[in-house]
Amino acid sequence: MSTERPIQAETPPVEPPSAPTRRTFIATTTAVGGAVVVGGLGAGPPALAAEEAAAEASPGSHVSLTVNGVRRTVTVDNRTSLLDLLREHLDLTGSKKGCNAGACGACTVLVDGRRVNSCLTLAVRLEGAEVTTIEGLAKGDRLHPLQQAFIDQDAFQCGFCTSGQIVSGVACIQEGHTGSAEEIREWMSGNLCRCGCYVKIERAVEQAAGRKG
């Protein structure tokens, strides 16, 4: 009797899947990315149309107020700020949109004699109010004393913050906060000047207040 074992066929080893080449990887990711972009572009127009429809459906209101001595009645979106009402609806662009967050003071105007950041003030809440902007300070060709003082003291450089500085300075004088240079700086601190003209601005307020010749 033979004692030899039958010869078994050897199973070939299973080779691990080969790692993708750099060219294959780039081609695959590019194709997937392109599909995502195309899908996003396809969804864009309906989303944009929905936003526009929502904007058109936003409620609006009539508001009547006196701006620089002239009675004005306008219809605005209930979310419209006083700053946008002045600039976009009444074409009074002297008040500037700086930070649009109430931090720089470039949009300062007077509402019933009180200075406010017009970018944070809703127009629909000002029914019957009296608003004074930089355009309303001069009397014809005669500048307001503080406007003239800004020229005399060279209290501006780029001019972007100047309208807000002047309106705030007018309120500062009317409020009686001009007893000293330190007091003026304190009560004008909400108005930022990126050019650093603070010393000259303080001198201009002093001049208009009659404390400086």
Side-chain angles (χ1 to χ4, degrees), residues 151-169:
I151 296 173
D152 295 342
Q153 298 296 333
D154 193 23
F156 52 87
Q157 189 165 323
C158 78
F160 189 84
C161 73
T162 303
S163 58
Q165 297 278 3
I166 291 176
V167 173
S168 186

Side-chain angles (χ1 to χ4, degrees), residues 8-14:
Q8 298 179 350
E10 294 183 357
T11 304
V14 178

Side-chain angles (χ1 to χ4, degrees), residues 67-200:
V67 181
N68 298 330
V70 179
R71 190 70 172 176
R72 310 296 292 266
T73 299
V74 293
T75 301
V76 294
D77 186 300
N78 289 344
R79 300 165 297 181
T80 301
S81 69
L82 173 57
L83 178 59
D84 285 338
L85 169 65
L86 295 171
R87 292 180 59 84
E88 307 299 332
H89 294 263
L90 303 182
D91 199 29
L92 295 172
T93 57
S95 303
K96 303 304 182 185
K97 182 176 286 191
C99 66
N100 205 33
C104 71
C107 67
T108 304
V109 300
L110 302 181
V111 175
D112 294 332
R114 181 175 58 89
R115 47 184 159 174
V116 301
N117 291 319
S118 59
C119 71
L120 297 183
T121 305
L122 286 176
V124 294
R125 302 189 64 181
L126 299 180
E127 178 66 32
E130 292 190 10
V131 179
T132 303
T133 71
I134 187 68
E135 292 91 344
L137 293 181
K139 303 300 182 183
D141 294 333
R142 183 166 59 88
L143 296 177
H144 185 280
L146 186 54
Q147 291 175 308
Q148 185 62 54
F150 262 67
I151 296 173
D152 295 342
Q153 298 296 333
D154 193 23
F156 52 87
Q157 189 165 323
C158 78
F160 189 84
C161 73
T162 303
S163 58
Q165 297 278 3
I166 291 176
V167 173
S168 186
V170 168
C172 184
I173 295 170
Q174 293 176 349
E175 294 161 2
H177 298 305
T178 58
S180 65
E182 292 74 18
E183 185 178 16
I184 292 174
R185 294 187 193 122
E186 173 66 24
W187 288 90
M188 291 288 292
S189 61
N191 291 78
L192 304 183
C193 175
R194 292 171 176 81
C195 301
C197 296
Y198 294 111
V199 173
K200 295 180 179 180

Side-chain angles (χ1 to χ4, degrees), residues 197-209:
C197 296
Y198 294 111
V199 173
K200 295 180 179 180
I201 291 171
E202 176 261 310
R203 290 175 180 169
V205 175
E206 281 188 325
Q207 175 179 320

